Amino acid sequence: MTDLLHEAWAALGDVLNPHGPAVNAAKSYSPADYSIHFFLQLAIIILVCRVVGWLGQKLLHQPQVVGEMIAGVVLGPSLFGLFFPDLQLAIFPKETRNVLYVGAQLGVGLYMFMVGLTLRLDHFQSKAKSAAAVSAAGIAAPFLLAALITPFLLTVPGLFTAGITQANATLFMGACIALTAFPMLARIINERGLANSSLGTLTLTAGAFDDAASWCVLAVVLATFGAGAGVAVIAIVGAVLYTAFMILWGRRLLAPLGRAVEARGEMSTQVLAITLLLFCLSAFLMDAIGIHAIFGGFLIGVCMPRGLFVEELKRKVEPLAVVLLLPMFFTYSGLNTRMDMVNSVSLLLIALGILVVSVIAKFGACYAAARLSGEDNRTALGIGALMNSRGLMELIIINIGLQKGIIGPTLFSMLVLMAIVTTVMATPLFEAVYGKKARESGELDQIDRRMATA
């Protein structure tokens, strides 16, 4: 026990030390070189994301966010780099990706902060039983099915790194299948007019718990790969303590910010500065303990005052986060994605098998849990459809697995394929099982009107 505490203390003290860059930065790059590339990259990212997002809406009836996800892959080596490799490398050299990564984390963190602001706590309280059941099913079923398929995957050369134990491989696969695309899910829910609905709140809550659990499992796996048990202890214990603190005392401590805005009738720059300072500290804390910055942003957003405070903050921050910063998140992940690795019939069949297992484990289990919790059939199907989306959270965790030597490039590509397919299918599946009938009955239209007047 003493050794474990010592490792945990050492891991905590190592938070601000260098942990190794994602790429080898060229020493010849000056600050001006990074600046030149950054502004060009940002301009191209905004243009491509808006165009592909618009095409996705018009031609495929997909939300803007799905188009932005596809745009990120388009800008990477899978398409742009495939046809114009020299030009793609000139615009997005490896040496500049660390800068792009930081902007990506700021964008997705701010967006999840905005999502937390719109979370209806009254709906969460009324749906706590259903959310807990859906979350538990969305974790248990993936890990159970991962335990069934991982022994076979370990027999295929190149999928996992040589020497990995079956336990670690199973935990990693379970975490990948259990993930829900939390940022993507939030965008879909907002764009579909579900942000203030009980279904939207229930799904977001269950998705948040599932993703947090998956990150904790990843911390345990990484701890056995040389990072030390202290990393897992800090991640799990730190997340539980911070979440408990924010739930018990967060809203009370942050209430003066809301009163200041109500008294003035608008949000002053001083209150905005304090709010963004608290967001940064919360994101830093969750990132430092090994979970992810987006959970820190989401959690403090949930605890922020409601009313005029939310209206003013969304008016000042949300457009910049959604239009300028968030697309960097999709592009950064797309730059690390290759779709040409699944290049044989046997590998394609394995990829399709992983896809089928993932859909059964998430859509099927969450649907069944929602039904057993008392939700009607249509609502349960809608919850299952949304929870099955994995998106860029999946790309983040599998990138970590690739960089840390847990999986090989081939399995990485299979999991990328699974992430894209489950994300693209989320919206049409949701519309087929829930959205279309809800609009015919006026349910979603009423939600949209309430959002417009909120």
Side-chain angles (χ1 to χ4, degrees), residues 189-205:
I189 285 175
N190 281 340
E191 292 182 9
R192 293 295 168 187
L194 293 165
N196 289 332
S197 69
S198 59
L199 182 148
T201 301
L202 187 156
T203 308
L204 272 179
T205 304

Side-chain angles (χ1 to χ4, degrees), residues 301-343:
V302 169
C303 298
M304 282 290 173
R306 295 307 194 251
L308 183 61
F309 178 90
V310 171
E311 296 176 27
E312 285 287 294
L313 189 59
K314 287 174 69 68
R315 183 175 63 86
K316 292 176 180 292
V317 176
E318 189 172 45
L320 184 68
V322 171
V323 177
L324 181 66
L325 298 176
L326 188 59
M328 282 192 282
F329 174 71
F330 297 103
T331 302
Y332 178 81
S333 294
L335 290 173
N336 293 311
T337 302
R338 297 188 63 93
M339 301 301 294
D340 57 349
M341 298 299 295
V342 184
N343 51 16

Side-chain angles (χ1 to χ4, degrees), residues 248-262:
L248 294 175
W249 295 291
R251 293 181 67 83
R252 192 180 311 167
L253 293 174
L254 296 171
L257 294 174
R259 291 195 291 267
V261 173
E262 295 288 346

Side-chain angles (χ1 to χ4, degrees), residues 235-358:
I236 297 172
V237 176
V240 171
L241 291 178
Y242 181 60
T243 302
F245 173 81
M246 293 302 295
I247 291 175
L248 294 175
W249 295 291
R251 293 181 67 83
R252 192 180 311 167
L253 293 174
L254 296 171
L257 294 174
R259 291 195 291 267
V261 173
E262 295 288 346
R264 186 185 177 98
E266 63 178 1
M267 179 175 286
S268 66
T269 54
Q270 188 75 7
V271 172
L272 178 61
I274 293 173
T275 302
L276 293 178
L277 168 65
L278 293 172
F279 155 75
C280 290
L281 289 175
S282 183
F284 158 76
L285 181 61
M286 293 299 276
D287 223 0
I289 64 176
I291 302 298
H292 201 280
I294 67 168
F295 294 105
F298 175 74
L299 188 57
I300 197 169
V302 169
C303 298
M304 282 290 173
R306 295 307 194 251
L308 183 61
F309 178 90
V310 171
E311 296 176 27
E312 285 287 294
L313 189 59
K314 287 174 69 68
R315 183 175 63 86
K316 292 176 180 292
V317 176
E318 189 172 45
L320 184 68
V322 171
V323 177
L324 181 66
L325 298 176
L326 188 59
M328 282 192 282
F329 174 71
F330 297 103
T331 302
Y332 178 81
S333 294
L335 290 173
N336 293 311
T337 302
R338 297 188 63 93
M339 301 301 294
D340 57 349
M341 298 299 295
V342 184
N343 51 16
S344 70
V345 175
S346 60
L347 291 178
L348 180 59
L349 291 175
I350 294 173
L352 292 176
I354 291 175
L355 173 62
V356 171
V357 167
S358 300

